[in-house]
Amino acid sequence: TVCLSDYIREPVDFLKLNIEGSELPVLLEVEASGKLEHINELVLEYHGWPGEPQRLGEILGLLERNGFRYLLHDFDAETSPASKPPFHLTAETTWFCLVYAHRMGS
């Protein structure tokens, strides 16, 4: 693998991440490099995999502390049925959502 921050050399209007659950480590690396401030907007697909830690709160906290506001979208009932009532959350529940973030003041 390579570091995303190595490719951020100028302002980024829009960044899309769909990297199957590795979004937090990538965002942490970009934040640590100081290059997250170059990104104006981003969208990422969050994966709630069974047996894996939930990291959505950490992702949202990272975005907030770096000046982003965000919206969440949970797809449709076919793509993410667990996020629709009646809820049936178990240790084996898989779910997805999109996180859209925009840097305020941009």
Side-chain angles (χ1 to χ4, degrees):
T1 61
V2 296
C3 293
L4 178 59
S5 65
D6 292 344
Y7 294 92
I8 301 174
R9 297 185 182 101
E10 56 190 46
V12 175
D13 291 330
F14 186 82
L15 175 69
K16 180 179 185 249
L17 297 175
N18 183 359
I19 47 181
E20 306 306 309
S22 295
E23 293 79 13
L24 181 60
V26 169
L27 288 171
L28 287 169
E29 184 276 322
V30 174
E31 179 186 43
S33 74
K35 294 185 177 178
L36 191 58
E37 66 188 37
H38 297 297
I39 298 170
N40 183 45
E41 287 181 289
L42 65 88
V43 68
L44 63 90
E45 185 173 304
Y46 174 78
H47 298 79
W49 298 117
E52 296 293 322
Q54 295 191 106
R55 294 295 186 53
L56 183 57
E58 292 176 76
I59 290 170
L60 298 178
L62 180 149
L63 294 171
E64 191 171 336
R65 75 175 169 259
N66 284 280
F68 289 92
R69 286 196 53 94
Y70 52 81
L71 300 171
L72 303 178
H73 182 276
D74 66 345
F75 295 103
D76 54 40
E78 184 177 333
T79 306
S80 195
S83 66
K84 306 295 184 280
F87 303 111
H88 299 287
L89 183 61
T90 71
E92 299 305 313
T93 301
T94 298
W95 68 281
F96 310 97
C97 74
L98 286 179
V99 178
Y100 166 75
H102 178 81
R103 181 177 300 286
M104 300 317 300
S106 299

